[in-house]
Amino acid sequence: MGIVFNPLENNSQIAANTLLAVATQNDITVKRYPVQKTADGIDRVTFETLVADMRKDGVDLVYLPADSLLISNAKVITDIVHSAGLPTFSATESPIRNSGALIGVVSRYYYAGQFAAFKAQQILTEGAFAGDIPIETLQQFSYIVNADTQT
């Protein structure tokens, strides 16, 4: 598996490192591929070279973590990855629904919004102190397959 990540975003690095650790524990080979940010997003030629390296490395699946650079450039990324015959697995809904990523197990934006509203309600109407509210993750996920995507 290849993980495309933005080395300038902490959450992207954390996602890449966490997936690498979990995959290693389960005998899954994972390689990290850092994407370089440009003034216009990502450089297409540099990314094509990165994807060629993935092919040489025997990558079977490309993972796209939750990252603003990757999400905002998802169409370019998925087009290049898919043209190389590699499928994409996205951690977020938008690249699947709007940019042609193949699959993902995601927390739907709608449910994330509901959960944020629930936390805000605890603070605004119930008088809870934000520092006392436990950090929680969503418990509901959706498995999305983009049936229109071809790799």
Side-chain angles (χ1 to χ4, degrees):
M1 178 185 313
I3 304 171
V4 176
F5 73 101
N6 177 1
L8 301 176
E9 280 198 33
N10 192 40
N11 64 315
S12 189
Q13 289 186 52
I14 290 169
N17 292 338
T18 301
L19 183 57
L20 179 61
V22 170
T24 301
Q25 292 172 355
N26 291 287
D27 295 323
I28 298 170
T29 303
V30 173
K31 186 161 181 182
R32 299 167 8 130
Y33 297 90
V35 175
Q36 299 304 313
K37 183 177 182 179
T38 67
D40 297 326
I42 63 168
D43 179 58
R44 186 177 184 90
V45 174
T46 304
F47 191 73
E48 287 171 347
T49 302
L50 197 71
V51 172
D53 290 343
M54 290 181 200
R55 297 275 304 165
K56 289 178 197 167
D57 294 340
V59 167
D60 295 316
L61 177 70
V62 177
Y63 177 72
L64 309 173
D67 173 292
S68 60
L69 177 66
L70 301 179
I71 292 169
S72 64
N73 290 275
K75 182 65 175 150
V76 171
I77 290 169
T78 57
D79 285 350
I80 294 169
V81 170
H82 293 166
S83 70
L86 297 171
T88 47
F89 185 99
S90 178
T92 56
E93 183 178 1
S94 178
I96 302 165
R97 297 206 184 273
N98 303 321
S99 302
L102 179 61
I103 57 173
V105 177
V106 303
S107 297
R108 304 280 310 269
Y109 296 141
Y110 176 81
Y111 298 123
Q114 280 187 322
F115 194 63
F118 167 71
K119 292 296 184 176
Q121 181 181 19
Q122 290 177 320
I123 297 166
L124 298 173
T125 62
E126 298 171 19
F129 177 67
D132 293 336
I133 298 174
I135 296 172
E136 302 173 87
T137 61
L138 290 171
Q139 299 300 310
Q140 186 171 1
F141 299 92
S142 298
Y143 179 70
I144 303 173
V145 178
N146 187 335
D148 295 328
T149 297
Q150 298 180 15
T151 59

